[in-house]
Structures are given as C-alpha cells and as structure tokens.
C-alpha cells in the first residue's frame, strides 16, 4: 500500500494551480513521490499539478512538502503555500493570523487577511531573489544572468535567471499568445544550461504596473499560474527598467499582486478549496 487502506485529501487551487493536500500532522503517507504520480493523473486519479503534504515542523508552525505531478520533489510553490495557510486555518490546525511555514527553500512568513474569520487573501514573504548562477543553478560564467543573450531554436532570447526558491528563467516577448511555450520550455532545458531544470516565464509588459505571463514549470509543463514565477517576473522587469517595484502579474489562472521592497519579494493572492474526499490507494 502507498498510504494505508485510504487517504483523506483536500483538493485546493490558487489561480488554477491545483494540488492535492494531505494532513500529515497525525497521519503518515508512504512513498509520496509515487502517490503524487498516481493521484495527479487527471484521467485515472484525482487530477492535479501535484501533491502537497502538511507536516509538523520543529522550526516553524508547519512544514510544506511538495511533489510535482511527475513525482519530482519541488522546493517551493507560491500558490501552494497560500493554500497551505488557508488549509490550516479552515481545518482548525492553527488559529494564528500570521504563520511561519517551513519549505526546502527556507521558512516563509505568511499573513492571512480575514473577514468574518474567513480567509480573503494571503500575503507571503517570498524572501530575497538569488542571482548567483551557481545557486540557481545556471551554467554561466557571470556574476548574474540578467538580459543575457541565449540562442534557442535559432532565435536569440535575452534571459533573466534567478531563484525564488525554485530556478526561474524569464524572457520578455511582444505577445505571449504567439509563444509555443511547451516546446520552448523543453528546448530551454535541452541547452544543458540548467542542470536542475528550469521554470520558464514568457512575459509581456502591458504597463509599468501590469505584466501578463505564461509559465512552463519543470516537472509539470505549462500551468495556469506559478507564484514563484510571478515573483521572478517582477524582479526581472524591475532590473530591466520595464516595471515599478509593485505590479499586478496577470496569469492565465488569475492575478497576483507582487511587490519588491526591503530586499524581499511579497506576493498577495487568493486560495480556494475545491473539494475534499477519501480515496483508496493501491499499488
């Protein structure tokens, strides 16, 4: 068995970025990578972008452990962590309005914005962007990779790379709807420039405070939204002189408000419970 006779779960989404959430503060889940592949299947499972386990933490209020739909483990998910914050509030695991949640990328501080004790939106301190190529990682012999030329499929792209807990590469284009993103994402990874894979953002600057973005995520393909990707996009836009330090990031699944101040990047958005249930899991 992958996790006993059955597993209780809650499916949640933030801007269409949907994950299956399991409370592991008391229950145990075995072989989570295999479970993620099984449950994420949209035809034979529940269907999701991945699996997120909520665990106890010795250093924070809770720990978020996430797996992509292909079973690979992710370090951080901006949309996922907002759902975790809503989950622990709605299911009575915590009565706090401010939470610290441990991730593989460090502890993230979260503020719940409540109305009549219902979560209206969630603000996450996503931390400082990391520009050092070795820490992203990107195989480039420069101090940072901003507006850096890269040939992919006989086309030169000006890439902007950083880590927001996950490795990101942002490119700016005139029209994001003309990009064949799934093909381009694989082509970027095929350059061997990104030893741990890459999340690719194609961004279209509408104004100094509005940016439209499509995201291709390693391990999941194109998704409706990506919180860390939205943060990386704002940082890249600021450094290229395209944007103010506070902007609305418009993704296919919805909108995030992102601001970069005091070194940290702050992301504010919503989260929603889709449904809860129990599923039998067999190998």
């Amino acid at each position: 068995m992958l996790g006993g006779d059955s597993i209780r779960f809650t499916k949640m989404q933030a801007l269409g970025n949907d994950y299956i959430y399991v409370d592991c503060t008391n229950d145990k889940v075995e072989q989570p990578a295999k479970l993620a592949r099984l449950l994420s299947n949209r035809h034979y499972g529940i269907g999701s972008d991945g699996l997120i386990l909520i665990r106890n933490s010795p250093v924070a209020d809770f720990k978020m452990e996430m797996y992509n739909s292909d079973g690979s483990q992710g370090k951080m998910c901006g949309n996922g962590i907002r759902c975790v914050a809503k989950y622990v509030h709605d299911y009575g695991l915590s009565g706090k309005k401010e939470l610290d949640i441990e991730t593989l990328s460090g502890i993230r501080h979260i503020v719940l914005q409540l109305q009549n004790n219902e979560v209206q939106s969630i603000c996450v301190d996503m931390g400082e962007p990391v520009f050092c190529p070795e820490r992203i990682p990107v195989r480039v012999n420069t101090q940072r990779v901003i507006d850096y030329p890269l040939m992919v499929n006989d086309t030169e792209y000006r890439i902007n790379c950083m880590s927001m807990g996950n490795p990101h590469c942002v490119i700016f284009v005139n029209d994001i709807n003309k990009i064949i993103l799934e093909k381009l994402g694989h082509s970027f990874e095929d350059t061997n420039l990104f030893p741990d894979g890459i999340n690719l953002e194609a961004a279209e600057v509408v104004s100094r405070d509005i940016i439209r973005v499509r995201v291709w995520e390693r391990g999941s393909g194109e998704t409706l939204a990506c919180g860390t990707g939205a943060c990386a996009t704002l940082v890249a836009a600021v450094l290229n002189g395209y944007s103010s330090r506070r902007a609305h990031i418009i993704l296919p699944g919805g909108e995030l408000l992102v601001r970069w101040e005091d070194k940290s990047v702050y992301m504010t958005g919503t989260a929603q419970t889709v449904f809860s249930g129990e599923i039998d899991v067999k190998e």
Side-chain angles (χ1 to χ4, degrees), residues 130 136-138 140 145-152 157-164 166-173 181 184-185 187-189 191 193-194 197-203 213-218 226 228-234 236-237 240:
V130 174
I136 297 173
V138 182
V140 172
V145 186
I146 300 296
D147 194 33
Y148 183 91
L150 176 67
M151 292 295 297
V152 177
Y157 295 92
R158 311 295 295 196
I159 66 173
N160 303 271
C161 298
M162 71 201 70
S163 173
M164 287 300 312
N166 295 321
H168 288 278
C169 177
V170 181
I171 59 173
F172 292 95
V173 298
L181 193 59
L184 194 60
S187 296
F188 265 69
E189 287 200 323
T191 63
L193 202 64
F194 311 102
I198 198 69
N199 299 298
L200 178 67
E201 285 77 39
V213 184
R214 287 173 61 196
V215 183
W216 183 86
E217 293 192 58
R218 57 176 187 169
C226 175
T228 56
C231 294
T233 298
L234 176 74
N240 280 279

Side-chain angles (χ1 to χ4, degrees), residues 15-29:
L15 277 65
N17 201 189
D18 59 338
Y19 285 87
I20 298 158
Y21 294 78
V22 178
D23 177 4
C24 292
T25 57
N26 291 308
D27 297 331
K28 182 179 180 181
V29 167

Side-chain angles (χ1 to χ4, degrees), residues 7 13 21 23 35 75 99 110 113 115 123 128 198 200 216 220 228 246 279:
I7 290 178
Q13 63 88 13
Y21 294 78
D23 177 4
L35 185 65
K75 290 184 176 181
L99 296 164
I110 296 174
Q113 298 168 358
Q115 184 175 354
C123 179
E128 295 184 38
I198 198 69
L200 178 67
W216 183 86
S220 295
T228 56
R246 181 182 184 275
I279 187 171

Side-chain angles (χ1 to χ4, degrees), residues 82-257:
R82 294 203 313 279
C83 288
V84 169
K86 177 176 170 60
Y87 184 104
V88 300
H89 173 272
D90 290 355
Y91 283 90
L93 299 182
S94 172
K96 295 181 177 181
K97 292 183 180 179
E98 296 192 25
L99 296 164
D100 289 323
I101 296 180
E102 179 188 359
T103 75
L104 288 180
S105 293
I107 296 173
R108 297 292 182 259
H109 185 70
I110 296 174
V111 178
L112 298 174
Q113 298 168 358
L114 305 175
Q115 184 175 354
N116 298 324
N117 204 38
E118 292 188 1
V119 178
Q120 300 299 305
S121 63
I122 304 105
C123 179
V124 184
D125 181 348
M126 300 290 285
E128 295 184 38
V130 174
F131 299 110
C132 175
E134 292 182 355
R135 294 177 59 196
I136 297 173
V138 182
R139 293 191 178 107
V140 172
N141 189 25
T142 59
Q143 288 188 338
R144 63 182 189 176
V145 186
I146 300 296
D147 194 33
Y148 183 91
L150 176 67
M151 292 295 297
V152 177
N153 297 336
D154 298 322
T155 299
E156 182 182 278
Y157 295 92
R158 311 295 295 196
I159 66 173
N160 303 271
C161 298
M162 71 201 70
S163 173
M164 287 300 312
N166 295 321
H168 288 278
C169 177
V170 181
I171 59 173
F172 292 95
V173 298
N174 293 327
D175 187 346
I176 58 173
N177 294 323
K178 293 183 178 180
I179 298 294
I180 305 175
L181 193 59
E182 185 73 19
K183 178 180 178 181
L184 194 60
H186 287 294
S187 296
F188 265 69
E189 287 200 323
D190 288 344
T191 63
N192 295 318
L193 202 64
F194 311 102
D196 291 346
I198 198 69
N199 299 298
L200 178 67
E201 285 77 39
E204 175 187 336
V205 178
V206 178
S207 67
R208 294 206 43 97
D209 60 359
I210 298 176
I211 305 172
R212 297 175 61 222
V213 184
R214 287 173 61 196
V215 183
W216 183 86
E217 293 192 58
R218 57 176 187 169
S220 295
E222 184 170 2
T223 59
L224 292 177
C226 175
T228 56
C231 294
T233 298
L234 176 74
V235 171
V238 170
L239 294 178
N240 280 279
Y242 300 147
S243 169
S244 63
R245 296 178 74 93
R246 181 182 184 275
H248 298 271
I249 309 299
I250 312 298
L251 300 123
E255 178 181 323
L256 289 170
L257 176 63

